[in-house]
Amino acid sequence: IRAPKAPELPIVERRNWLIHQHYIRKDYETCKVFIKEQLQETNGMCEYAIYVQALILRLEGKIQQSLELFQSCAILNPSSTDNLKQVARSLFLLGKHKAAVEFYHEAARLSEKDWEINHNLGVCCFFIKNFKHAEEHLNTALQINKHHKTFMMLGKVHLLTGDTDKAIDVYKRAVENFPENTELLTTLGLLYLQLGKYQKAFEHLGNALTYDPNNYKAILAAGSMMQTHGDFDVAMNKYRVAACAVPESPPLWNNIGMCFFGKKKYVAAISCLKRAHYLSPFDWKVLYNLGLVHLTMQQYASAFHFLSAAINLNSRMGELYMLLAVALTNLEDGENATRAYEQAVMLDESNPLVNLNFSIFLYNHGDKKAALDQYQEMERKVNLLQDSSSSAEFDPELMDMAQKMRAALQVADNVVWTKPGKDSKSKPNSAAATKTPGAPLGSNQALGQAMSSAVSYNKNIQLPTGTNFTFCRQECEWVKTHSRENVSVKLVQNAHSDLAWKSLP
Amino acid sequence: KPAGSLTGTDHCPAEKHIRKWLDAHYDPVAGLYTFSSCVDLADLSGDGESRLVVGDLGSGLSGMKLKVFQGTALLSESTLLDLPTGLVAFFMDLHEPRIPAVAVASGPCIYVYKNLRPYFKFTLPGLEVNPVEQDVWQQVKEGQIDPLTMKEMLEGIRKKADVPLSVRSLRFLSLETDEMDEFVQLHKQQPIKRQTVITCVGTLKKSTADEDGVSCLVIGTESSNVYVLDPEAFIILSKMSLPAPPTMIDVTGQFDVEFRITVACRNGNIYILRRDSDKPKYSMELSSHPVGLVRVGKNVVVGCTDESLQGFTQKKLWRTTLPAPIITMAAMDLPTRGFQGVLVGLANCEVHLYRDKNLLSNIKTPDVVTSICFGRYGREDGTLIMTTKGGGLMVKILKRTAIFDDRDGTPGPPLAQSVRLNVPKKTKLYVDQTLRERENGVAMHRAFYMDLSRMRLAAAKAYVKALESSLTPMSSSLSEPLKMNAVVQGLGPTFKLTLNMQNTAACRPVMNLAISFLYDENLYRMRTPYLRIPLLVPGLIYPVETLVECTSDKGISDIIKVFVLHEGKGCPLLTAHINMPVSEGLMLN
């Protein structure tokens, strides 16, 4: 009697291709059905089905479960690098970087020239702050395959170790290899911007915008540079694009606000800045700009609130105290204004405007000697700035004011002002400068009526002004910071010389 | 005139100004489940009319069929034994009339159909079997070892050997001990086989580049090999190996002259095989898995899972991002008009036509398109055939007047640039208030200061009062640093009052403490209005419990004051005011 004919056993891998086809089409539900079927048919011996099941679990966020499945894959087929790589990747996602490094090393033993292993080793080392090894692994990865992700990571490593030059080199190489990668172009552009190489920064940001006109980061950075040059309309064009893409960006609305300010549309400026403030209530730069615009609008009481809120958030900036002092002067609170000015000159290191405004204030209040001291301090700062960079430009109004002050204080001229560049377009207040030339010196002498309030200035700063702070959005991208700084600082100068001017002959 | 039987209506909403496609046929319930690799167009009867041949996967588990469509109707269907992985129509001989055969790849076999009738079955050669494994089975067959020993030996082979185990051994390893014997008895007589399956299939002209020249079949297998089959004798002409299982294949050239096989593999790389080598000549590493692979002239266009379309020769030429994940891709080749493009089916129910990186046409479809085939159908050269996720079949005909203009390069400023900024207008009231502030700024500021000073004074007073009467929940005294919080549980009339005491000192215990309560005796009754507290070890939380009974039935509540006292001192260390809840128990009565 012959034994019964053995049934044909189905091939274990027979549906692998189908599982793969559904997996890459992101049709995970169908994929799971086939995986289940396949595992039932093979009594769980189909390695690829388990592998894809684990990948799907990981995509669904069940990382621990996926790790276990990958480990069982590695048991089914211990000689596969893919399984080890995926185990390492799951460990990495679970934040177990050291364990991940070990698995990657093991995988590297099985397959030598593997870009993925080296790249991921670099990333793991980066996270456990082993920058030296991270750099080595990433460089090896680059030798195997020039991948833009590896370039990005290597640049980041260099930036974190403080080696900006190397980072720039890396990004430059990356841009050569990927001339159309907007992420790389923007990163390099921003790096140049940080270093003050505006020409190059603009070039790269411009390139990024050519390939992707909706790139939010590039728009903000390029827009802020245009704003600095006074090209408000062009900057606004760019911001409109960004406003469609990211309508709830505080720095964007801040910059738009300052564009309107530059175009002297103050009410629109306030609307935009208030929106920025609503979106990011703890951002002192928005408050600073709001203070500035309200000073310009002669709404000194409101300006005071915005500025003191800004000081609460950032108490290390001389210019903020100076603005507060200007507001207090106009609110006829001479005592607190003096304190604010004192704080401002103490904190500020390089801005001659602070000393000039203080000097004018002191002169207007009859303290000629102290005014002279401040004037000399201002001259010192001006000379220092001119020494450090030959191209230092000063606002023509600042120079004009300084000259008037010198005449009033009757001191010898020992500052040689650099001529302002012909292209300095941003003189929004030059009209005001010629309008009221004959205001009497010390017209604000109503100091006697000044409040004899016991509230001292120092208490003032502890004022929790922002009672409407309902929520906080954490923003930590430096692009934004930069654009704000850039815009606000420049405009401060203009606005300021105007304010100070009103109390001079 | 078969094309006439297709209705020629046109209501494509996407392109109102230039309509390029005619909607010829749409059957949303055709019940087709297939991929682009299992769809082909061929003149199967030699009458000059092209038919549509579809390898239908049925439910994916059963009901696999080979279907042939003519015009809008299903012409024939025949059952397939296993899932079709690929389908190609090709000329296998030089007989007249020139009628192509259809090859369906399925499992380890190629089924060749001629005149829609089964003609030949080719099975891939078995893979090498591990000699040690063979030896083990021989031993068990001869009764030298028992199944348990065999299991151990097979496990050992699986862990170390380069040649993987056969299906039989793998199945054996997954069995329970009591099933082993039966399994061995059933299978031991058969020789051990190790088979692989076909993952993709393509065609390669044998010696001429003619349209109806004889073609070889090119087969990619799960075992990471590529075979070239002779079409007449079905013998393997060439065998090549890859680093990973292939998923998609594209072939160009002639086998006898020079050819190039481009293969997308499951490891996410693309390899190029040439005539002279059995190993890939070039490889291209992609950052994500390829979903579609189409050759246009000498370039290869690859669609990836990261929603990108990339163009390659030997190196990357361009990359463009798509609005949605790619589902399928196919070539659009219109030799009469010298047009070559790539059709991309996307998950957002659109089919895009690209020439290089430029989008030429966008077809909106009612369902997600899962397979695309472009070519001659019936007597119409420019026919686009698509199947959808829901099983629908859609046929569109390219208008003869349709022109694809290359809107190349810089796409101009984005539309958003002309959208007005949404800046809220300020009201008249706001302007009035601004003017008021300008005029009365100083007065406003002073008023603000006055109120601020008053508020500070009031706050300071309250604070001092709290400090004086130890009203804070923390005792700041140096000798007895204590923390207390109170919890009231229950609905009433009896409440449980729990006071959690904690000694916050670093190491010193606190002794001789007591708690007493002050309350309205008309409202509440307390069982123990005076409690002694045990020694408090630093850090631990001591719950002190007592019961409070509400004696009023008027539904009112009051405050109970809790004092933490030190023995022998009149001033309390801590005071807490507990707002008692309204007793619900009495209100119900």
Side-chain angles (χ1 to χ4, degrees):
Chain A
I1 305 160
R2 275 186 58 189
K5 199 171 181 317
E8 190 87 13
L9 291 170
I11 302 167
V12 175
E13 298 95 3
R14 73 185 189 101
R15 283 206 198 92
N16 284 10
W17 69 275
L18 192 60
I19 293 170
H20 179 78
Q21 289 295 334
H22 283 288
Y23 173 68
I24 57 174
R25 281 169 176 74
K26 300 181 183 173
D27 185 358
Y28 301 130
E29 288 313 309
T30 320
C31 205
K32 279 193 225 166
V33 172
F34 286 123
I35 290 171
K36 204 175 156 201
E37 191 67 24
Q38 184 72 355
L39 288 176
Q40 253 168 21
E41 192 179 286
T42 60
N43 261 356
M45 296 303 267
C46 182
E47 179 198 345
Y48 188 73
I50 304 176
Y51 183 81
V52 175
Q53 173 86 66
L55 287 175
I56 294 174
L57 282 174
R58 191 160 73 192
L59 285 172
E60 288 169 347
K62 297 164 188 161
I63 302 171
Q64 187 62 41
Q65 273 168 282
S66 91
L67 175 65
E68 284 155 20
L69 283 184
F70 282 128
Q71 278 164 337
S72 62
C73 277
I75 292 169
L76 276 179
N77 183 2
S79 60
S80 154
T81 27
D82 278 335
N83 291 338
L84 288 177
K85 278 197 261 184
Q86 298 302 347
V87 170
R89 172 110 192 115
S90 285
L91 284 170
F92 168 77
L93 290 174
L94 286 169
K96 296 171 180 167
H97 298 121
K98 278 191 183 136
V101 166
E102 273 170 36
F103 273 92
Y104 275 126
H105 277 305
E106 202 164 313
R109 269 199 290 280
L110 292 169
S111 113
E112 273 184 2
K113 284 205 154 188
D114 193 315
W115 164 80
E116 189 191 338
I117 293 177
N118 279 298
H119 174 85
N120 286 336
L121 266 176
V123 178
C124 286
C125 289
F126 168 80
F127 278 111
I128 48 180
K129 301 223 159 55
N130 187 346
F131 296 123
K132 202 167 137 272
H133 278 103
E135 195 185 326
E136 277 169 25
H137 287 301
L138 290 171
N139 274 319
T140 325
L142 278 182
Q143 276 164 15
I144 300 164
N145 183 4
K146 290 192 169 31
H147 198 289
H148 63 94
K149 277 187 196 161
T150 315
F151 278 120
M152 275 311 273
M153 206 63 218
L154 187 58
K156 235 188 227 172
V157 170
H158 284 312
L159 281 181
L160 272 183
T161 48
D163 202 338
T164 321
D165 290 340
K166 267 193 180 170
I168 284 195
D169 278 344
V170 168
Y171 287 128
K172 264 190 189 163
R173 265 201 297 155
V175 168
E176 273 166 30
N177 281 293
F178 301 94
E180 295 189 11
N181 187 316
T182 48
E183 196 188 354
L184 288 167
L185 283 168
T186 316
T187 315
L188 184 58
L190 292 176
L191 210 51
Y192 276 131
L193 195 61
Q194 250 182 347
L195 295 176
K197 295 181 182 170
Y198 297 117
Q199 190 62 39
K200 280 187 171 169
F202 201 73
E203 202 176 291
H204 284 101
L205 292 170
N207 277 343
L209 285 179
T210 324
Y211 294 119
D212 176 14
N214 295 316
N215 190 319
Y216 164 74
K217 269 193 190 177
I219 286 177
L220 263 195
S224 85
M225 290 178 76
M226 292 167 186
Q227 237 171 313
T228 320
H229 285 271
D231 294 337
F232 298 117
D233 289 317
V234 187
M236 284 286 258
N237 271 340
K238 298 283 168 213
Y239 289 149
R240 267 187 217 127
V241 180
C244 271
V246 193
E248 297 197 343
S249 151
L252 173 72
W253 285 106
N254 175 63
N255 283 6
I256 293 175
M258 292 323 277
C259 258
F260 279 124
F261 181 69
K263 293 166 77 171
K264 292 202 205 164
K265 292 180 177 167
Y266 299 125
V267 177
I270 288 178
S271 288
C272 295
L273 287 171
K274 281 198 173 158
R275 179 175 293 175
H277 176 61
Y278 172 78
L279 294 168
S280 173
F282 293 125
D283 188 339
W284 66 269
K285 283 177 190 112
V286 177
L287 289 164
Y288 180 114
N289 287 338
L290 268 170
L292 188 64
V293 179
H294 280 97
L295 278 183
T296 317
M297 293 285 280
Q298 297 169 21
Q299 288 172 267
Y300 302 113
S302 302
F304 167 80
H305 285 284
F306 289 118
L307 291 167
S308 72
I311 286 173
N312 275 320
L313 295 165
N314 176 14
S315 54
R316 309 293 322 151
M317 194 180 170
E319 275 125 347
L320 271 175
Y321 286 99
M322 177 186 78
L323 285 189
L324 191 73
V326 172
L328 285 167
T329 314
N330 284 291
L331 291 168
E332 295 170 20
D333 187 353
E335 191 185 334
N336 286 325
T338 315
R339 284 168 192 267
Y341 269 128
E342 277 163 2
Q343 190 78 14
V345 295
M346 197 183 82
L347 289 170
D348 187 81
E349 277 163 5
S350 63
N351 193 349
L353 203 67
V354 178
N355 301 89
L356 182 64
N357 277 335
F358 195 15
S359 171
I360 295 167
F361 172 81
L362 289 168
Y363 184 80
N364 284 340
H365 288 78
D367 192 347
K368 256 190 160 182
K369 193 175 161 297
L372 188 64
D373 285 347
Q374 287 304 324
Y375 182 78
Q376 279 160 350
E377 178 64 15
M378 177 209 73
E379 284 187 333
R380 193 187 62 79
K381 281 182 180 171
V382 167
N383 284 330
L384 214 65
L385 281 175
Q386 280 177 343
D387 288 346
S388 63
S389 76
S390 52
S391 62
E393 268 182 28
F394 294 98
D395 198 285
E397 271 177 77
L398 173 80
M399 285 151 54
D400 196 34
M401 273 322 294
Q403 235 133 42
K404 283 187 185 152
M405 214 34 219
R406 192 182 59 232
L409 290 167
Q410 293 155 353
V411 282
D413 188 359
N414 41 18
V415 178
V416 186
W417 296 95
T418 332
K419 292 255 155 140
K422 274 179 189 162
D423 58 333
S424 61
K425 294 173 201 161
S426 49
K427 288 187 271 179
N429 301 303
S430 51
T434 48
K435 218 161 60 189
T436 45
L441 188 62
S443 61
N444 286 352
Q445 292 248 333
L447 267 185
Q449 303 161 12
M451 284 198 312
S452 53
S453 153
V455 186
S456 76
Y457 176 68
N458 276 328
K459 277 187 187 163
N460 226 340
I461 344 179
Q462 286 156 10
L463 235 179
T465 327
T467 43
N468 57 345
F469 292 174
T470 46
F471 70 100
C472 162
R473 283 165 60 111
Q474 198 185 348
E475 300 278 357
C476 46
E477 243 170 331
W478 72 268
V479 199
K480 303 167 182 176
T481 323
H482 194 101
S483 46
R484 269 174 282 189
E485 282 260 55
N486 217 351
V487 177
S488 39
V489 170
K490 176 73 186 174
L491 291 165
V492 173
Q493 293 185 350
N494 295 329
H496 260 280
S497 14
D498 177 39
L499 287 161
W501 186 86
K502 281 191 187 115
S503 44
L504 261 197
Chain B
K1 198 180 160 197
S5 65
L6 309 168
T7 48
T9 52
D10 188 6
H11 37 79
C12 180
E15 287 151 26
K16 282 203 178 91
H17 46 294
I18 330 157
R19 286 174 179 171
K20 290 171 183 138
W21 301 92
L22 295 174
D23 291 345
H25 175 60
Y26 177 44
D27 177 5
V29 287
L32 288 174
Y33 167 33
T34 187
F35 297 102
S36 290
S37 59
C38 292
V39 183
D40 207 353
L41 291 160
D43 177 9
L44 292 178
S45 47
D47 56 2
E49 257 188 49
S50 261
R51 289 358 180 225
L52 170 68
V53 198
V54 181
D56 185 359
L57 280 79
S59 70
L61 305 169
S62 62
M64 291 73 80
K65 291 221 165 71
L66 178 68
K67 291 182 174 170
V68 180
F69 288 87
Q70 180 179 26
T72 56
L74 180 65
L75 191 67
S76 81
E77 67 177 12
S78 43
T79 307
L80 293 172
L81 290 176
D82 201 355
L83 293 169
T85 56
L87 180 149
V88 282
F90 71 115
F91 290 101
M92 57 184 291
D93 49 37
L94 291 164
H95 298 314
E96 292 286 343
R98 309 291 291 134
I99 293 174
V102 174
V104 181
S106 173
C109 304
I110 296 258
Y111 299 90
V112 181
Y113 290 78
K114 254 188 122 173
N115 291 320
L116 294 178
R117 275 192 293 273
Y119 175 75
F120 187 76
K121 173 184 167 186
F122 167 81
T123 309
L124 281 175
L127 300 173
E128 183 199 349
V129 178
N130 195 325
V132 191
E133 182 190 357
Q134 210 138 24
D135 207 42
V136 172
W137 277 96
Q138 187 63 34
Q139 282 177 26
V140 82
K141 188 176 159 190
E142 289 161 8
Q144 290 170 354
I145 51 172
D146 61 353
L148 276 177
T149 328
M150 180 163 94
K151 182 169 181 170
E152 269 170 40
M153 293 168 86
L154 288 175
E155 283 285 3
I157 300 170
R158 195 187 68 184
K159 282 201 181 105
K160 289 189 198 84
D162 297 329
V163 183
L165 291 179
S166 64
V167 191
R168 187 199 293 180
S169 301
L170 284 176
R171 173 57 66 92
F172 176 76
L173 286 178
S174 68
L175 291 177
E176 299 293 325
T177 322
D178 52 337
E179 301 165 325
M180 283 180 183
D181 230 13
E182 193 188 341
F183 185 82
V184 170
Q185 292 308 323
L186 190 61
H187 287 273
K188 67 181 181 186
Q189 297 300 333
Q190 257 75 34
I192 299 178
K193 275 193 299 183
R194 207 159 70 80
Q195 272 187 311
T196 186
V197 292
I198 298 170
T199 56
C200 52
V201 61
T203 59
L204 166 64
K205 293 269 180 302
K206 182 89 185 345
S207 48
T208 61
D210 295 346
E211 183 104 329
D212 58 353
V214 172
S215 295
C216 306
L217 289 180
V218 184
I219 300 169
T221 67
E222 182 73 32
S223 57
S224 309
N225 287 319
V226 170
Y227 297 97
V228 181
L229 293 187
D230 181 83
E232 277 160 309
F234 280 97
I235 49 165
I236 292 166
L237 294 174
S238 173
K239 178 186 172 184
M240 291 165 271
S241 60
L242 292 164
T247 58
M248 282 170 292
I249 199 162
D250 180 85
V251 194
T252 171
Q254 292 114 50
F255 181 76
D256 292 337
V257 190
E258 173 62 67
F259 63 84
R260 204 166 86 147
I261 304 175
T262 314
V263 198
C265 284
R266 216 174 274 165
N267 60 359
N269 293 358
I270 288 177
Y271 298 97
I272 294 173
L273 295 157
R274 303 296 279 267
R275 184 185 154 80
D276 41 20
S277 161
D278 63 348
K279 285 255 177 315
K281 203 134 195 204
Y282 311 101
S283 79
M284 292 174 282
E285 206 157 306
L286 303 170
S287 45
S288 57
H289 280 290
V291 186
L293 172 82
V294 170
R295 185 179 41 80
V296 182
K298 286 193 167 168
N299 294 356
V300 174
V301 180
V302 182
C304 289
T305 45
D306 60 355
E307 301 178 16
S308 71
L309 199 64
Q310 307 181 17
F312 292 91
T313 45
Q314 245 77 271
K315 61 178 198 119
K316 194 159 145 187
L317 294 177
W318 50 263
R319 179 183 199 273
T320 182
T321 32
L322 302 169
I326 300 170
I327 300 296
T328 188
M329 280 169 64
M332 173 168 162
D333 201 348
L334 207 56
T336 48
R337 289 164 62 174
F339 178 86
Q340 283 190 309
V342 178
L343 289 156
V344 186
L346 300 176
N348 61 354
C349 296
E350 285 180 7
V351 176
H352 287 188
L353 172 62
Y354 285 89
R355 178 155 59 198
D356 289 338
K357 62 189 293 190
N358 306 316
L359 176 64
L360 300 182
S361 164
N362 181 354
I363 306 165
K364 298 241 163 63
T365 54
D367 193 2
V368 178
V369 168
T370 50
S371 86
I372 303 177
C373 182
F374 183 88
R376 182 182 167 87
Y377 185 45
R379 290 180 188 275
E380 183 56 55
D381 276 333
T383 312
L384 173 63
I385 294 166
M386 299 176 280
T387 64
T388 63
K389 197 171 184 185
L393 173 68
M394 208 182 306
V395 181
K396 284 179 189 284
I397 296 175
L398 182 67
K399 269 196 165 182
R400 289 177 193 172
T401 52
I403 299 164
F404 294 111
D405 48 337
D406 245 343
R407 284 162 295 176
D408 184 33
T410 46
L415 276 176
Q417 195 161 311
S418 49
V419 176
R420 268 185 71 89
L421 278 176
N422 169 24
V423 180
K425 293 268 175 291
K426 286 295 178 196
T427 53
K428 171 101 178 13
L429 184 67
Y430 173 82
V431 178
D432 289 348
Q433 291 297 329
T434 308
L435 290 176
R436 194 172 77 86
E437 187 190 338
R438 274 194 201 174
E439 279 159 21
N440 309 310
V442 177
M444 286 163 104
H445 187 65
R446 281 181 194 159
F448 164 75
Y449 251 100
M450 192 68 81
D451 290 345
L452 180 73
S453 310
R454 283 198 184 125
M455 192 180 79
R456 281 192 181 144
L457 184 64
K461 272 184 187 163
Y463 187 55
V464 167
K465 194 184 164 207
L467 278 183
E468 276 173 354
S469 53
S470 307
L471 266 174
T472 50
M474 302 268 287
S475 149
S476 54
S477 112
L478 281 176
S479 52
E480 288 97 7
L482 290 176
K483 210 166 127 180
M484 178 176 73
N485 70 54
V487 183
V488 182
Q489 287 168 317
L491 297 173
T494 310
F495 298 97
K496 185 155 110 181
L497 182 61
T498 312
L499 299 164
N500 292 310
M501 304 285 303
Q502 191 185 6
N503 176 4
T504 54
C507 52
R508 223 153 40 125
V510 179
M511 286 172 286
N512 299 331
L513 292 184
I515 290 181
S516 95
F517 299 91
L518 187 65
Y519 52 90
D520 187 343
E521 287 182 1
N522 296 326
L523 282 177
Y524 295 107
R525 189 165 59 231
M526 217 169 235
R527 270 177 220 171
T528 44
Y530 177 80
L531 294 163
R532 288 185 67 93
I533 300 178
L535 179 140
L536 295 181
V537 172
L540 296 180
I541 293 173
Y542 293 83
V544 180
E545 290 170 3
T546 181
L547 291 172
V548 183
E549 200 180 332
C550 181
T551 53
S552 156
D553 56 356
K554 296 196 176 65
I556 46 173
S557 65
D558 196 25
I559 290 173
I560 294 183
K561 293 181 182 175
V562 185
F563 303 103
V564 180
L565 303 151
H566 195 277
E567 242 168 57
K569 284 186 193 167
C571 180
L573 289 169
L574 280 177
T575 313
H577 290 192
I578 299 167
N579 285 311
M580 292 302 287
V582 175
S583 162
E584 286 175 44
L586 272 183
M587 284 165 79
L588 284 173
N589 289 337

